[in-house]
Amino acid sequence: MARFSVFALLAVPWLLLAGLVSGDAVSDLEKKGRPAIDAMLAKSKTCTKANLKVRREWGDISAAEKKSYIAALLCLMEKPSKLNPTQFPGAKTRYEDFVVVHMQQTMSIHNTGSFLSWHRYYLWAFEQALVKECNYNGSHPYWDWGRWAQDPEKSPIFDGSDTSLSGNGKKIDHRSSGIAPAGNGGGCVETGPFKNMTVRLGPVSPAVDPAPPRNPRSDGYGLNTRCLRRDISNYLTSRYARTQDIAALITNSRDVLTFQNVMQGAGGGFGGAGAGIGVHAAGHFTIAGDPGGDFYTSPNDPAFWVHHGMIDRTWTIWQSQDTNTRIQTIAGGTSMMSFGGGGRQQSLDDNIDLGIVGDKVYKIRDLNSIVDGPFCYVYE
């Protein structure tokens, strides 16, 4: 049986008061908040309309734009790692440098006050690497879970075409990931641009059965060559990541602690009531497989990045509903083990350091910005 993943811990039930939502209520909320973002843009000293990037949903960008993004991903997977090969023998590529950084900081960036700001910086740093190291000239796309909630496997993200992020894994006999029933995949990805992708790091906390081979090192940094596996299904998206679920997360969360806890599926801690699973866990376990379902090494699946693009978009929309109170706000401890906000509370003046993949050390208050600090992008 598969090991119990820490992702599953973050999917503790919480009752979400969704109500009835018609049309694309998330886009409506985005439009409602855009004037506030435009007002911030007008005052920004670092971001202007001339250098503003617009992030769009995967289904809304052209085939040429999709191929350009895919080519940049593949380029990063070919460039050599900048890490010490003795310390991190499993990291052979620049792409895997990003995976290592996530592995190193996993326990301090989930269910903590820095969850949202850390991942905002992490995604932006990844986008910068695509641009500066692989000549990508686009903006980072995102995956709108609600748009494809009923059949993500047939979405342009996972349909297995040459303009997708590859399809499902080969159908094999396998068991549940621990959150969702076993889907129609489970094996190696055999379609699309990443069908020949090699995974080397981890596993650390796998949630797949049959389990991947153990890493030669207990920390997961050893060389452990294997294929990319997925088990995509609509079980979670059709229940917990619909448009109405995303809209309810935004409209029902009156403070950032509620917002980030419900998003991660950890509302109120491990004793939370209700029957909901947060969109964060729902997205990760829709990808599932290895390394997509591994709490530590999940960025090793190329779909991680469009998933976290939607995480950041959702936070941006939530912030834009009341920028006066929601930009510079923070809640939560500094360690994932500080359940319920215990331990030292995170501060806006705490530093975030991405090491080998970041351009500099930033304070959280700089990373809470939307169109200021290092950032200059909006979502549409």
Side-chain angles (χ1 to χ4, degrees), residues 116 249 253 255-263 314-315 318:
L116 294 164
L249 167 64
S253 300
D255 57 75
V256 72
L257 183 63
T258 301
F259 177 80
Q260 66 197 24
N261 279 351
V262 176
M263 171 176 273
T314 306
W315 181 33
W318 181 82

Side-chain angles (χ1 to χ4, degrees), residues 280-296:
H280 179 240
H284 278 295
F285 276 97
T286 292
I287 301 166
D290 169 50
D294 190 313
F295 187 58
Y296 291 79

Side-chain angles (χ1 to χ4, degrees), residues 108-120 260 263-264 280 308 311 346:
S108 63
I109 58 171
H110 298 93
N111 203 33
T112 63
S114 63
F115 166 71
L116 294 164
S117 53
W118 190 95
H119 284 87
R120 174 172 283 176
Q260 66 197 24
M263 171 176 273
Q264 293 177 92
H280 179 240
H308 268 275
I311 292 288
Q346 198 100 53

Side-chain angles (χ1 to χ4, degrees), residues 73 76-77 80-83 91-106 109 118-119 121-131 133-134 201 221 296-300 304-305 354-359:
L73 284 177
L76 215 59
M77 292 176 183
S81 169
K82 295 183 180 182
L83 291 167
K92 301 296 185 183
T93 71
R94 185 67 173 138
Y95 183 91
E96 288 162 335
D97 288 352
F98 281 86
V99 182
V100 166
V101 169
H102 190 273
M103 292 169 70
Q104 290 175 315
Q105 300 190 37
T106 287
I109 58 171
W118 190 95
H119 284 87
Y121 179 23
Y122 184 58
L123 179 62
W124 178 83
F126 185 75
E127 181 183 44
Q128 293 301 298
L130 297 178
V131 171
E133 300 179 41
C134 289
L201 292 160
Y221 298 131
Y296 291 79
T297 62
S298 54
N300 220 345
F304 171 95
W305 306 100
L354 296 185
I356 198 74
V357 302
D359 67 331

Side-chain angles (χ1 to χ4, degrees), residues 102 117 138 147 160 178 233 242 247 277 288 291 351 353 370:
H102 190 273
S117 53
R147 184 170 178 176
S233 79
R242 300 163 298 176
I277 289 177
N351 291 328
D353 185 357
I370 298 174

Side-chain angles (χ1 to χ4, degrees), residues 126-194:
F126 185 75
E127 181 183 44
Q128 293 301 298
L130 297 178
V131 171
K132 295 177 180 179
E133 300 179 41
C134 289
N135 300 314
Y136 178 57
N137 61 6
S139 60
H140 203 284
Y142 65 89
W143 161 26
D144 183 346
W145 318 295
R147 184 170 178 176
W148 315 106
Q150 297 307 313
D151 199 349
E153 193 175 351
K154 291 184 180 178
S155 74
I157 305 168
F158 297 115
D159 65 9
S161 66
D162 62 355
T163 56
S164 73
L165 297 178
S166 282
N168 206 353
K170 181 180 180 180
K171 187 173 183 178
I172 63 170
D173 186 19
H174 66 291
R175 297 185 183 183
S176 166
S177 65
I179 290 182
N184 290 321
C188 297
V189 170
E190 297 182 331
T191 59
F194 302 98

Side-chain angles (χ1 to χ4, degrees), residues 347-368:
S347 164
L348 289 169
D349 289 317
D350 284 349
N351 291 328
I352 291 185
D353 185 357
L354 296 185
I356 198 74
V357 302
D359 67 331
K360 60 181 284 188
V361 177
Y362 290 98
K363 292 187 181 300
I364 289 176
R365 69 172 64 255
D366 296 324
L367 304 177
N368 273 18

